[in-house]
Amino acid sequence: MSWTKDNANTACGRVLLPVVAARNRADSGHIGAFRAGRRRTLGLVALGAALISLPGVAARRSVRVVTLFQGATDTVVALGITPVGVVESWQDKPIYPYLRQALAGVTLLGLETQPSLEDVALLDPDVIVASSFRHARIAPLLSQLGRLVMLDDIYRYRRTLSVTAAALGCEHSAMDWEIRLKTRIRALRQRLQRHFDGAWPISVSLLDVRANEVRSYLAGSFGGSVLRSLGFRWNPIQAGVGGVSLRLTGVEHLSSIDADVFFVMLHGDSAAVRRHYRELRAHPIWQRMSAPRRGAVVAVDPVAWSLSGGILGVMHMLDDIEGWLDDTTRRA
Amino acid sequence: MGDMTIRLAGYSRRIAWRPWRLAGLSLLTCVVIALVSLACGRVWLPPGEWLAGLKRGEGAIWLIVTQLRLPRVVLAAEVGGALALSGWILQQVLRNPLASPDTLGLSGGASAAVVAYLALAAGQGGAWVRPVAAIAGALLVVASVYALALRGGRVTPYRLILIGVGMGALAGAVVTLMLIVGRAELASSAYVWLVGSVYGANRADAVTLGGLLALVLLFGVPLIRYALLAPLDDALAAGIGVSVPASRLALIGVASLLAGLAIAWGGAMAFVGLFAPHLARRWVAVSGSAQALAAVAIGASVVMSADLVGRTLFLPLDLPAGIFVAAVGAPFFIGLLIRETRTS
C-alpha cells in the first residue's frame, strides 16, 4: 500500500503554521479576547515553538474546520477531526446523540439553513464545509471567512467524504472508510442474498412519516442509495420516478409505495406524527400492502437513516439492517 | 425659522422648514439605528473599535463590520425605505389610508411570481429573473385589482381594498400550490424569503438593489408633485393642468416597481408599506416631499430594527426580520381598520 500510518497521522487535519503566520495569529489579540483562551494558548505555544526552532521551519496545528450541514459534521468527525463550529441538528437538538461525545463543547452556529455568519467569522476557520444546496446565497460571504469547500448536495455521503477529506489532507483516512464501507456492504449483500434466497432482490420502501404527508425516499436519496448498493430494488412505479423522494399527501396513492419491506422513520417525535402513523396503519390500503402483510414493517432511526447524511450514519444504518436480519432469522 | 419663498423666472416655490426639520429628524433616527446595528451582533463593537477594525482593512472585525453587518444594514434600509415609499405613493394616489403594497395584493403578486419561478424553473434562470418576476407579479396584480375595482370610471377606496385583499388571497393560494408541486426542499428555503429576511446579504445585493432603486427614483421623484396633488378632487387637479389618469398610472407603476424590487431582495416584510407612511403622516402633518422622505426613513428604521432584533435576540439563531415587522405591523393594521370604520 502506498500510504503509511505515520504519513496519515501528521498530515490529516493539520495545517502548516509558518513562523510569520504564527506571529500574526498571536498578535491579533483584538479578536482573541472574544475567543476561547485555549486558542490563544495554542497560538502562543505555536509561536514559541516556531521561535525556538530554526527560522522558516514550520510548526503544525490542528486545522480549524466549520461544518454547515449535518453530513459534513458527521464526515469530519469520521475523519478524526473535531470541528470548531457546527450547525444545530434537525432533531434531538442541538447535536445528534451519536455525535454528542465527539462534539462536546463545540461552538453551535444556529440553523443549517441560516447559520450565524458572525460566529463563523469569530471562529476564524481555516476550512468551511458547506453545500450549495443550502448555502448558495451566502457563498460569497463564506468564501471571505475561510477556505470554502462547497458540496453540491447534502446527501451524497461518499462525495462529501472524498471532497472533505481532500480539503483537509485526510485522503488516507477517507480511503480507510471507503474500504470498510465496501467490505461491509459486500458482506451484507451476500447475507441478504442467502437470507432471501430465490426472493432476492426484494423490493423496499424507505418511508418518512410526517404530520400531514408521507415521503418515500428513492434510490437517489441518502438512505436509498445505501439500500440500493445492498441490492434492494424499488417497485416499478417508484423506480420510474425521478428525484430524491416521492411525496404522498393522501392515502389514494398509498399503493404506489408497495414493497416487500418497509423501513419507517417518524419525522420528529410529535403527537401529530404518531397519530398520522396510527391512522395509516389502520387504513385498508396499508393493510393490503405486501410489507404489512408479511410483518416486514421495520421502524428505524431517522437520525441514522436520513438526517445524519454522512458515513457514520451509514455505518449505523448497516448495523440496523444486520440487527433486523438477526431478528428475522431468530424468529424463523 | 420662518418659511422661505424662492422666486425665479419660470420657477417659484415656497419652502416650509418645519416639515423638513421633522423629516431630517427621522433621517437622523434612521442613521442612529444604522450605527447601533453596525455595533450590535454576536460581539458588541463600539464605534471606536470598529473604526479601528476598518482602518486595518482585514481581520475578523473588519469582516464582520464591512462584509456581514454593513451590507445587511444597507439592504434592510433599502427594502424598508422602498416599501414605505411605495405605500406612501399608493395612499396618496388612491386617496386611501388603507392602501399599501400588502393590502392591494401587490406583495402577494410579487411573492407568488417569485415562488412560482423557484418552483417551476428551480431558480436556474440567472440573477435578474427574480426581480423581473417580482415586478411582473406586482404589476399584474395591481393592474387587475385596479381594473376590477373600476366602476363607472370611479374607484372607491373600500372596493379597491376588498378586491386587493381578494387578489392577495388568490396570490397566497398560488404560493401554496407552488410549494406543494415544487421540490420537497423548496418549502423551507422559500418560507424564510416569504416572511421577509435580509440574512446573508452581501455587497453586490446592496449595491444592485440600491442602483435599481435609484434608477426608479430618477423617474419617480419628478412625479412626486403629482402625488401631492392626487388627494385633490380629480376635476380640480385636471383644472390646474394635471393629466389625472396618466399621472395616476405612472405613480402606481413607480410604486409597483419600488415594492417589486424590495420584495425581490428582502421578501414581503408585511405591513411596512402600510404603517411607515402612516407614522410619517402623523409625524410630518403637511403632505409633501418631506413627508415622503420621513416615510422612507421610518420604513428603513423599522426593517433595520426588526433585523437587529432578529439576529441578536435569539443567538445563535438568526430569525427573519419579517417576523418582527409583522408582529408590529399586524396589530397596527387592525387598529387602523377599526379607526377607519368608525370615522367612515
Side-chain angles (χ1 to χ4, degrees), chain B:
Chain B
M1 214 182 334
D3 293 357
M4 194 177 91
T5 314
I6 302 172
R7 280 191 194 285
L8 299 168
Y11 180 86
S12 102
R13 191 181 170 97
R14 201 193 66 163
I15 298 173
W17 289 109
R18 195 181 138 72
W20 286 103
R21 271 204 303 277
L22 294 171
L25 217 59
S26 46
L27 265 183
L28 198 68
T29 316
C30 186
V31 171
V32 169
I33 293 175
L35 291 177
V36 172
S37 296
L38 286 178
C40 286
R42 184 65 187 78
V43 285
W44 163 252
L45 298 172
E49 204 158 318
W50 59 257
L51 282 177
L54 287 191
K55 278 201 201 104
R56 263 206 307 284
E58 56 167 17
I61 289 186
W62 178 81
L63 274 175
I64 286 175
V65 175
T66 65
Q67 309 299 309
L68 299 181
R69 288 185 194 171
L70 187 62
R72 194 163 168 162
V73 168
V74 171
L75 194 73
E78 287 168 353
V79 169
L83 285 171
L85 185 58
S86 171
W88 183 83
I89 292 174
L90 290 172
Q91 289 174 8
Q92 288 288 120
V93 173
L94 303 175
R95 299 170 198 154
N96 187 337
L98 293 177
S100 78
D102 312 276
T103 46
L104 290 180
L106 214 146
S107 302
S111 303
V114 172
V115 174
Y117 159 63
L118 293 177
L120 302 178
Q124 294 294 314
W128 57 272
V129 184
R130 196 153 147 159
V132 168
I135 290 166
L139 283 173
L140 184 72
V141 167
V142 102
S144 28
V145 167
Y146 201 78
L148 288 170
L150 206 64
R151 197 163 54 175
R154 279 174 54 83
V155 172
T156 58
Y158 270 92
R159 197 175 153 81
L160 193 75
I161 297 301
L162 276 179
I163 293 173
V165 169
M167 287 298 282
L170 188 67
V174 172
V175 168
T176 309
L177 178 70
M178 288 301 149
L179 290 181
I180 289 173
V181 300
R183 294 161 297 131
E185 315 82 42
L186 174 71
S188 64
S189 57
Y191 189 70
V192 170
W193 175 82
L194 280 172
V195 174
S197 168
V198 287
Y199 170 83
N202 58 42
R203 282 174 138 182
D205 291 326
V207 170
T208 314
L209 179 58
L212 289 171
L213 287 177
L215 210 63
V216 174
L217 288 182
L218 206 65
F219 293 98
V221 168
L223 292 174
I224 284 204
R225 61 181 191 269
Y226 299 117
L228 300 179
L229 294 175
L232 298 178
D233 186 52
D234 283 359
L236 193 59
I240 57 172
V242 175
S243 163
V244 175
S247 66
R248 182 177 286 164
L249 214 61
L251 280 165
I252 292 179
V254 167
S256 308
L257 283 174
L258 289 171
L261 283 171
I263 290 168
W265 265 274
M269 300 285 178
F271 300 117
V272 172
L274 182 77
F275 71 82
H278 267 275
L279 292 179
R281 236 174 268 281
R282 205 165 283 183
W283 177 238
V284 184
V286 189
S287 86
S289 307
Q291 197 182 58
L293 186 65
V296 170
I298 292 170
S301 306
V302 167
V303 177
M304 279 192 295
S305 320
D307 186 48
L308 179 61
V309 171
R311 69 186 166 86
T312 53
L313 216 54
F314 301 96
L315 277 170
L317 296 186
D318 198 324
L319 301 179
I323 296 175
F324 301 94
V325 174
V328 182
F332 185 91
F333 178 56
I334 293 167
L336 193 68
L337 269 178
I338 293 170
R339 230 186 48 190
E340 284 299 312
T341 38
R342 270 203 201 125
T343 50
S344 65

Side-chain angles (χ1 to χ4, degrees), chain A residues 24 28 30-31 34-35 68 88 90 93 107-124 133-142 144-146 154-155 210 213 215 244-245 247 249, chain B residues 40-45 49 52-53 56 59-64 67-69 71-72 75 130 179-185 187-189 192 197-203 205 265 311 315-320:
Chain A
N24 274 347
S28 63
H30 219 77
I31 261 302
F34 302 117
R35 242 183 242 140
L68 297 185
E88 269 181 20
W90 293 116
K93 291 186 178 202
T107 305
L108 290 170
L109 302 170
L111 295 178
E112 179 171 318
T113 43
Q114 286 210 26
S116 160
L117 295 170
E118 293 192 12
D119 277 294
V120 176
L122 288 172
L123 287 171
D124 190 17
F133 168 69
R134 294 259 192 243
H135 310 112
R137 185 169 150 65
I138 56 171
L141 292 175
L142 289 174
Q144 291 183 306
L145 303 179
I154 51 174
Y155 57 89
R210 305 190 171 207
E213 66 179 42
R215 288 192 193 171
V244 168
S245 69
R247 295 168 83 189
T249 40
Chain B
C40 286
R42 184 65 187 78
V43 285
W44 163 252
L45 298 172
E49 204 158 318
R56 263 206 307 284
I61 289 186
W62 178 81
L63 274 175
I64 286 175
Q67 309 299 309
L68 299 181
R69 288 185 194 171
R72 194 163 168 162
L75 194 73
R130 196 153 147 159
L179 290 181
I180 289 173
V181 300
R183 294 161 297 131
E185 315 82 42
S188 64
S189 57
V192 170
S197 168
V198 287
Y199 170 83
N202 58 42
R203 282 174 138 182
D205 291 326
W265 265 274
R311 69 186 166 86
L315 277 170
L317 296 186
D318 198 324
L319 301 179

Side-chain angles (χ1 to χ4, degrees), chain A residues 30-88:
Chain A
H30 219 77
I31 261 302
F34 302 117
R35 242 183 242 140
R38 190 184 63 82
R39 179 76 207 292
R40 171 176 281 191
T41 322
L42 244 177
L44 288 174
V45 169
L47 177 63
L51 288 177
I52 293 164
S53 57
L54 289 168
V57 173
R60 283 182 191 276
R61 63 170 176 80
S62 326
V63 66
R64 301 178 62 79
V65 193
V66 160
T67 53
L68 297 185
F69 66 97
Q70 313 301 332
T73 308
D74 173 301
T75 304
V76 168
V77 170
L79 292 172
I81 299 166
T82 308
V84 290
V86 302
V87 286
E88 269 181 20

